[in-house]
Amino acid sequence: MKSDDIKAMQEAIKLSASSLKDETIPTGGPFGAVIYKNGEFIAGGYNHVLANHDPSAHGEVQAIRAACQKLNTWDLSGCTLYTSCEPCPMCLMTSKWANIDKIYFAATRKDAADIGFKDDDLYELLKPGVYATPLPECRNEAVEVMQQWLKKFSTNGKY
């Protein structure tokens, strides 16, 4: 790992410590993240799940939202995400949806489990047949809306 990567990770870890600011009520868990593009800081964020009453307000998601706003795009191709802890499945998939090229993390999901977070358990839910139940009776209706959307907004037959 290059010294620039280590400095960026140290920024993410510093943001994770923002959860310690208030002596009584944390903003959320001790997780922070920063996003860089071409060696330049784009955005950062830390967990606001409790402060925002929002289970999706993880540090990585906060950083992705801020980076998208700053760059005026949903596509973060060419960006690198540095996060103080291994991303939960939601944050990992959000990063992938945003086309982030590289993801570096410091602590592991096992470390998060050691302090009571369920990230590791959530990865277990990704096994086929565990995470959701299809309702095949409604599939055709849903697919029809998807096809209409594709016809209306796609220029190359896919999104």
Side-chain angles (χ1 to χ4, degrees), residues 16 30 147:
S16 74
Q147 291 299 320

Side-chain angles (χ1 to χ4, degrees), residues 4-158:
D4 288 347
D5 292 326
I6 292 170
K7 287 179 185 174
M9 184 62 75
Q10 289 170 335
E11 284 184 66
I13 294 168
K14 184 176 179 181
L15 277 172
S16 74
S18 296
S19 66
L20 303 170
K21 285 192 288 194
D22 191 315
E23 293 296 321
T24 57
I25 302 170
T27 58
F31 308 107
V34 294
I35 295 175
Y36 275 73
K37 185 171 187 174
N38 300 322
E40 178 186 333
F41 174 84
I42 302 298
Y46 61 94
N47 193 302
H48 278 75
V49 168
L50 299 176
N52 294 1
H53 307 287
D54 179 356
S56 70
H58 292 197
E60 297 92 337
V61 173
Q62 299 288 86
I64 289 168
R65 289 173 178 161
C68 288
Q69 290 299 307
K70 182 175 181 178
L71 298 175
N72 196 32
T73 183
W74 64 270
D75 185 353
L76 298 179
S77 294
C79 289
T80 301
L81 172 68
Y82 299 88
T83 180
S84 64
C85 187
E86 184 175 0
C88 73
M90 175 188 69
C91 292
L92 179 61
M93 292 303 114
T94 302
S95 301
K96 293 302 182 182
W97 269 111
N99 296 318
I100 291 174
D101 290 351
K102 292 181 184 175
I103 301 170
Y104 294 106
F105 61 89
T108 68
R109 62 185 188 224
K110 303 254 189 250
D111 297 320
D114 288 345
I115 63 165
F117 286 85
K118 60 183 179 180
D119 302 48
D120 204 30
D121 294 339
L122 293 174
Y123 272 96
E124 290 298 312
L125 294 176
L126 296 178
K127 293 180 179 176
V130 175
Y131 58 89
T133 304
L135 283 176
E137 299 84 0
C138 299
R139 180 177 176 267
N140 290 342
E141 224 176 313
V143 170
E144 178 58 32
V145 172
M146 295 166 80
Q147 291 299 320
Q148 289 174 15
W149 183 91
L150 182 67
K151 287 176 188 169
K152 184 172 182 175
F153 294 112
S154 176
T155 57
N156 61 359
K158 64 180 180 177

